[in-house]
Amino acid sequence: MTTAASALKAPAAGSWSSRLMFVAAAAGSAVGLGNIWKFPYIVGENGGGAFVLVYLGCLALLGLPILIAEIMIGRRGGDRPSTAFLAAARAAGLSGRWRLVGALGATTSLLVLSFYAVITGWVLLYGFDYAALAIGQGSEVLDSEAHFSRLTGDARAQVFALLIVASAAFAFSARNAAGGVEAIMRWMGPAFAVLLFLLAAYTALAHPAPFDVVRYLLAPDFAALKPAAFGEAVGHAFFTLSIGLCGMVVYGAYLDSNASVPTLALAVATIDTIVSMLCAFIVFGVAFATGADPAQGPGLIFVILPRAFSAMPFGHVVGAAFFAAAFMAAFTSVIALAIIVSRAIEETFGATTRVASAITALATLSGGTVVIGSVSGAAPIRLFGAPLLDALDAITSSVLLPVSGILIAVFAARALAAEIRGLPFGRALLFCLRWVAPLALCGVAASRLL
Ligand code: PHE
């Protein structure tokens, strides 16, 4: 690294206490609503196995190389998104405009936060409902559709949940980043893993034909695949790995310079994929047991699962466990998103971590309240003809993320070429970043137009 670039490297706030802690933190960021809420419903909408196959291909050829690239950019340039890109660009003699990629990632993160925190709030409210039912309080969810409409129509309850989510995230993001994330991952990571395996085991034992679910997820039926599924698979591969938003730039900054980035990235992507597959197994296992249609869209876990929980043995406890696990996964991702936005505010306005985290929490609250207003009908805002929440999800996942992800790929292939070539499978990685990623973007654009 040149001296100019070293001078640019932002003072990283601490470092991971071990490489395992990096894997835990990065997995905490990666595993979230993307795995539990979104993956099952987009698999359901796109007909099962064939989509899973396309998605796994996107993960291997695009997701993993870009994940490696993001971590390396952060390790070289520090935890502030634009500064990190600027440092890596300067060191390679490239234009300083590449810093805009960092700004794009942070802006997209803020957009994601404003709806992600709202859905995390729904998960929390469902968790409260099932915890109450599990101890014999509250009233049974008889009509799960009506229950979900009641929740999404209740602006006050949603703002209350959002307030809890935003202030709890602030409590962790305002601390020295590595320290705050480690503090929560130390217990939430294992607790989440235990709950997930128990739920999967329960589904396998309680389901009349668990292999039907496995077949649905793994046997490809290409006739069910629409062209737009390709764009969806690329966007989701990025979203689920927290790449394209500079999430891994930030966490990579706290990594020591001798760590093998490909090995750690592979561990993170593997954990994320196992969690997604287990979640899909649980969600479809529970849904199929009640004869539900898998193509339910975004309401899948909020409408179909509760119907099944009411009918199954120990359903309330299973429901409480499911929503507790979903909340933990979502919350550690909210923290990751909040940290990206805070770092961007720090570098742009010279704010301290505490002030930047407070501004992020307020921005999440404001953005989230607007989303809640549109969901609950108080202020039915539409964007490009779709309800605000759906529009934000589509714009970030299907447009902004693929664009910023591919820009990161192209940037890394130029700025970090020598370093990447020296890695195990370095040439293949470089090929994916330089050629496959831009081609995929053309593919995504074409699939949108078809
Ligand atoms: N990866 C998270 C999920 O799948 C979302 C996320 C994206 C979190 C970017 C942090 C940064 O839910």
Side-chain angles (χ1 to χ4, degrees), residues 60-61 64-66 68-69 72 260-263 409 412-414 416-436:
L61 294 178
L64 188 61
I66 298 178
I68 294 171
M72 288 173 70
S260 160
V261 174
T263 313
R414 296 180 64 189
L416 305 172
E419 210 174 319
I420 294 174
R421 204 173 290 120
L423 296 174
F425 303 104
R427 280 180 186 281
L429 277 174
L430 217 46
F431 179 79
C432 288
L433 293 170
R434 190 171 284 156
W435 300 108
V436 182

Side-chain angles (χ1 to χ4, degrees), residues 22-39 55 59 67 71 116 181 185 192 236-243 245 247-248 251 264-273 275-276 279 328-337 340:
F22 166 78
V23 173
S29 161
V31 171
L33 290 172
N35 308 64
I36 297 186
W37 163 70
K38 201 163 177 190
F39 183 67
Y55 165 76
L59 269 188
L67 176 59
I71 297 172
Y116 201 96
V181 175
M185 279 317 294
F192 172 77
H236 189 64
F238 290 3
F239 185 76
T240 194
L241 289 180
S242 303
I243 53 181
L245 298 177
M248 294 299 172
Y251 282 8
L264 299 179
L266 186 63
V268 174
T270 308
I271 294 173
D272 187 78
T273 307
V275 174
S276 281
C279 286
M328 289 189 224
F331 184 61
T332 49
S333 297
V334 169
I335 294 176
L337 285 161
I340 306 170

Side-chain angles (χ1 to χ4, degrees), residues 188-265:
M188 257 197 194
F192 172 77
V194 169
L195 278 182
L196 192 71
F197 280 106
L198 285 178
L199 284 163
Y202 177 88
T203 313
L205 294 174
H207 193 278
F211 289 111
D212 285 355
V213 187
V214 175
R215 202 168 312 122
Y216 173 75
L217 287 174
L218 298 182
D221 167 15
F222 286 103
L225 214 55
K226 295 165 244 154
F230 179 60
E232 191 133 36
V234 172
H236 189 64
F238 290 3
F239 185 76
T240 194
L241 289 180
S242 303
I243 53 181
L245 298 177
C246 297
M248 294 299 172
V249 170
V250 178
Y251 282 8
Y254 312 130
L255 199 57
D256 66 284
S257 51
N258 296 325
S260 160
V261 174
T263 313
L264 299 179

Side-chain angles (χ1 to χ4, degrees), residues 16 171-186 335 339:
W16 304 113
F172 290 96
S173 68
R175 293 171 60 173
N176 149 335
V181 175
E182 284 195 15
I184 188 127
M185 279 317 294
R186 263 181 218 285
I335 294 176
I339 291 177

